[in-house]
Amino acid sequence: MKRTDRIAQPWGTRTPYPAGGQWPVRVDTHLEDGLDPGEVDRWVQTASILHSNGDALDIAVKDGRIAGVRGRAVDRVNRGRLGPKDLYGWQANSSPDRLTVPLIREGGKLVETDWDTAMDRVAGRTRELLAEQGASAIGFYTTGQLFAEEYYTLGILAHGGLGTNHVDGNTRLCTATAAAALKESFACDGQPGSYTDVDHADVIALYGHNMAETQTVLWARILDRLAGPNPPAIICVDPRATPVARAATVHLAPRPGTNVALMNGLLHEIIANDWVDHGYIEAHTVGFEDLVQQVKDYPPETVATICDVPADRIREAARLIGGAERLLSTVLQGFYQSNQATAAAVQVNNINIVRGMLGKPGCGILQMNGQPTAQNTREAGGDGDLPAFRNWSNDAHVQDLARVWNVDPMSIPHMSPPTHVMQMMRYAEEGSIRMLWVNGTNPAVSLPELGRVRSILSQERLFLVVQDIFLSETAQLADVVLPAATWGEKTGTFTNVDRTVHLSEKAVEPPGQARADLDIFLDYARRMDLKDKDGQPLVKWHDAESAFEAWKECTRGRPCDYTGLSYAKLRGGSGIQWPCNEDNPDGTERLYVDGKFWSAPDYCESYGRDLVTGAPMQAPEYKALNPEGRAIIRAAEYVPPHELPSEDFPFQLTTGRTLYQFHTRTKTGRALQLQAAAPEVWVEMSAADAGTYALAEGDLAEVTTPRGKVRAQVRVSGIRDGVLFLPFHYGYWDTPAGHEPDGAGRAANELTITDWDAASKQPLFKTAAARIRKVSGGEGPSKAPTNTASAPVSPIGWSTHGSPGSEADEDFSVTGGEA
Ligand SMILES: Nc1nc2c(c(=O)[nH]1)N[C@H]1C(S)=C(S)[C@@H](COP(=O)(O)OP(=O)(O)OC[C@H]3O[C@@H](n4cnc5c(=O)[nH]c(N)nc54)[C@H](O)[C@@H]3O)O[C@H]1N2
Ligand SMILES: Nc1nc2c(c(=O)[nH]1)N[C@H]1C(S)=C(S)[C@@H](COP(=O)(O)OP(=O)(O)OC[C@H]3O[C@@H](n4cnc5c(=O)[nH]c(N)nc54)[C@H](O)[C@@H]3O)O[C@H]1N2
Ligand SMILES: [Mo]
């Protein structure tokens, strides 16, 4: 047993292990001050809610309150470990400013009301709009932070009940490209790999993925491999000196927005040196010749000029990848939110495909998710796709869904792709979407170009419903605010990046009158009197477990088959990876083990899209391309970002995360230890750029793009020259002043651009042109964390550490765990 300051040491103590070995157990516990584990009344099973890793944990309940957390030793994902956000973030649940009663807007102000009044107003407005305009007047914008049961219920009521095609999730901002890239290469969503690939890999390549800060426990697994015998080589592609970059064997720091050029350069080398598996390509793929032709134009010297990365370093990275025997590739926002998102992410798939590195231990692709239940949003249809990876452009799939729901197939919208959120915002701006129901997301801080977003959401003619646990920046603009119960206060399932399904059980009562999101949706379905084609209630379930049973039926025979799972089976042990069914009763560790893909034309989720225009491919085209259901190698040429640096805006601005904060901070900003570790926005720039612009550590600077201004203290960091970085966590709920007098804000999205990837429709948060100027000298260094990507390049006199309440126990004595 060891006490560790987990703010100062986010990854905790090393437990080294060798290639092919089993990751040792380390059980992390943090309880409220003075509480002894022996005094805990109950431990209640769940998994982490503040990222996509799916770390399993138990909530400590004391006197009906959440009083701490402990990692679950038995779980395959984390083997007991927890990250800082999980150790401390739960405190937000009992924050005194939780929403506890519904609110409605009266005379311009939000006032308290009862559930009947609030829900009648929502249902009443829905009925009016259906009568006046039809379902196209109504949009739903959900999240990646509810449970599978809730998305499935939302999906049936929006698609099967009202019949609107305007359904999307904030997963559009998050993992739309993960889904799109998997659909392009394998014609179906679903991660091929498994976290255990970390145990076996000899090369791990992380593309635009700061895993050290955003999936701390998975990174701890890699650190433990690096500390053990025969460690893997690490390749990092990131313009900043992240902790991943510092641990890397080779770090490539390209100009933001040039990922496709870089990937084509790597593929050029892999193909030119014949580091490819011709047998695999021949037997299991289509499209290789196109790739060979395409990457001919990208020799390392050409790529070096586009990306500003030394040609020899590209060769070195390619040599490592080309020589790997077990290659694990991971991809996240540095690709997904950057220029040519899908095309870039697909090239990562191509590397593993042409090297034949799929379906074997250590050979995996993790097109990462970000949010805890982003996968479920996509699976259950919360993002507008049809549930269980049914193909909206395949009539047989629509009919099959209509059978499951017992509705007329024509009542399920499927004539065009589902409306993505940026398009929904456009429709609201133009006035054709007149009601928008936002749940579990805070678009007034997280969407690009906030000035525009605020003006859309605050229009009188838009009826805005916001279902949240706090009075967020978005909720402040709403016509009706519905107080939700959250993680720990309700039951449901969630699925992480590597398809592991966890049960999350209710531990405590929600505050005041707050209700589980599922109960809110069920109440709405009842009030709307939604019926199936026999006049029976459309939604035939009444609680989380009955919703899960219905969802299971919907997945039967589909790739994400849940039929072998049940709440009982998920209770007590480890999470289980789908597909889990009669054939795979214990779940499935890796997909595509036999080189067979879910890409047969009559089974696949998608016929693919044109990577440049985004236009969906038609069935005949797809059938001609891929009649036998193989993996699809899709080549892409590099196209520069739309907004490039200019004389007026000489920098590239990129945005992202820091280890201690989650998104718009509604939870982590209310957890003392986390908020203290990263209390205020900062802007990162290189030492050379700081010199040129006469800026120093701690100076107050103003960053400007054509959309707006943000003020932040300068952190001189290891970021590449020519690039500025802003964390996007800092909105306005905890700044009484809000905007600065002269119109500058502190939310990074004041500056970002309304633009998105053509194929995935994911907004571009990572490439914009900007300028920076000094406002005033600082009164000391910026408060940015020092042990993360924002580490200062020269000493600033202090380092990030916790206060007395931020120690956690690490227990190394637990043996066993999952076999
Ligand atoms: N601590 C913490 N953890 C989280 C979250 C959080 O808010 N806080 N959120 C969760 C969610 S929802 C998500 S989606 C994930 C996101 O996890 P990540 O994707 O790891 O996080 P980001 O910081 O958004 O972006 C990753 C990196 O992309 C780099 N980058 C920027 N532009 C480019 C580019 O053009 N090319 C390349 N190659 N790299 C570029 C940035 O420098 C950054 O280090 O994290 C999850 N985990
Ligand atoms: N500039 C820039 N912008 C970005 C990104 C970036 O890297 N840069 N990243 C994008 C990404 S990847 C993501 S995922 C988004 C995240 O953006 P958001 O989804 O807007 O961020 P959150 O702060 O997680 O918002 C979740 C909201 O749901 C509420 N909530 C929490 N739990 C529950 C619950 O159980 N029920 C209900 N009803 N509400 C709940 C929270 O209080 C909060 O208001 O931001 C995107 N925006
Ligand atoms: Mo995300």
Side-chain angles (χ1 to χ4, degrees), residues 174 333 370-371 657 663:
C174 182
Q333 301 307 355
Q371 296 174 88
R657 295 162 167 74
H663 298 173

Side-chain angles (χ1 to χ4, degrees), residues 210 214 238 240 257 259 333-334 338 657-659 661 663 766:
N210 186 8
T214 57
D238 196 307
R240 295 192 302 152
N259 295 317
Q333 301 307 355
S338 197
R657 295 162 167 74
T658 191
L659 194 149
Q661 297 288 7
H663 298 173
K766 301 265 192 273

Side-chain angles (χ1 to χ4, degrees), residues 386 390-405 407-415:
L386 298 184
R390 285 179 175 81
N391 185 348
W392 58 265
S393 40
N394 181 337
D395 285 343
H397 286 198
V398 178
Q399 274 164 25
D400 186 58
L401 182 64
R403 170 191 61 80
V404 175
W405 284 353
V407 298
D408 180 342
M410 288 317 290
S411 69
I412 302 174
H414 63 279
M415 293 311 169

Side-chain angles (χ1 to χ4, degrees), residues 178-201:
L182 294 167
K183 289 182 198 174
E184 290 305 325
S185 300
F186 309 115
C188 189
D189 197 342
Q191 302 292 338
S194 166
Y195 287 163
T196 56
D197 290 332
V198 171
D199 308 346
H200 300 277

Side-chain angles (χ1 to χ4, degrees), residues 438-620:
V438 174
N439 61 82
T441 180
N442 189 8
V445 181
S446 58
L447 280 178
E449 203 177 345
L450 288 184
R452 170 174 177 256
V453 170
R454 276 189 297 265
S455 80
I456 294 170
L457 294 180
S458 49
Q459 292 172 100
E460 191 96 25
R461 64 180 180 187
L462 179 71
F463 182 70
L464 181 66
V465 181
V466 175
Q467 182 171 321
D468 203 292
I469 67 172
F470 293 108
L471 194 66
S472 66
E473 291 84 345
T474 309
Q476 289 173 28
L477 305 174
D479 296 289
V480 178
V481 178
L482 304 173
T486 189
W487 174 90
E489 302 161 355
K490 61 180 185 178
T491 294
T493 50
F494 46 121
T495 305
N496 76 345
V497 183
D498 84 340
R499 295 172 280 104
T500 305
V501 185
H502 285 113
L503 177 64
S504 179
E505 302 234 51
K506 176 173 174 176
V508 299
E509 289 303 322
Q513 298 173 31
R515 282 186 188 169
D517 295 280
L518 178 66
D519 293 330
I520 299 173
F521 295 144
L522 291 174
D523 179 330
Y524 178 72
R526 260 191 316 271
R527 273 173 220 264
M528 289 303 302
D529 202 21
L530 300 177
K531 292 282 200 303
D532 69 10
K533 69 176 194 238
D534 298 324
Q536 296 303 306
L538 174 68
V539 184
K540 297 180 174 56
W541 46 93
H542 55 276
D543 64 2
E545 187 159 8
S546 53
F548 185 73
E549 289 301 315
W551 163 236
K552 275 166 58 177
E553 269 320 303
C554 185
T555 67
R556 186 176 293 281
R558 295 300 301 159
C560 54
D561 195 328
Y562 280 70
T563 49
L565 293 171
S566 65
Y567 277 19
K569 189 160 175 173
L570 290 168
R571 227 167 244 143
S574 172
I576 299 170
Q577 289 168 290
W578 66 247
C580 178
N581 49 21
E582 251 174 43
D583 294 339
N584 312 282
D586 300 318
T588 306
E589 180 136 47
R590 289 181 187 83
L591 305 183
Y592 314 139
V593 172
D594 49 6
K596 292 213 176 71
F597 297 87
W598 288 320
S599 53
D602 57 350
Y603 190 70
C604 68
E605 180 186 12
S606 166
Y607 298 138
R609 286 174 183 268
D610 184 295
L611 292 181
V612 177
T613 65
M617 269 170 60
Q618 303 303 312

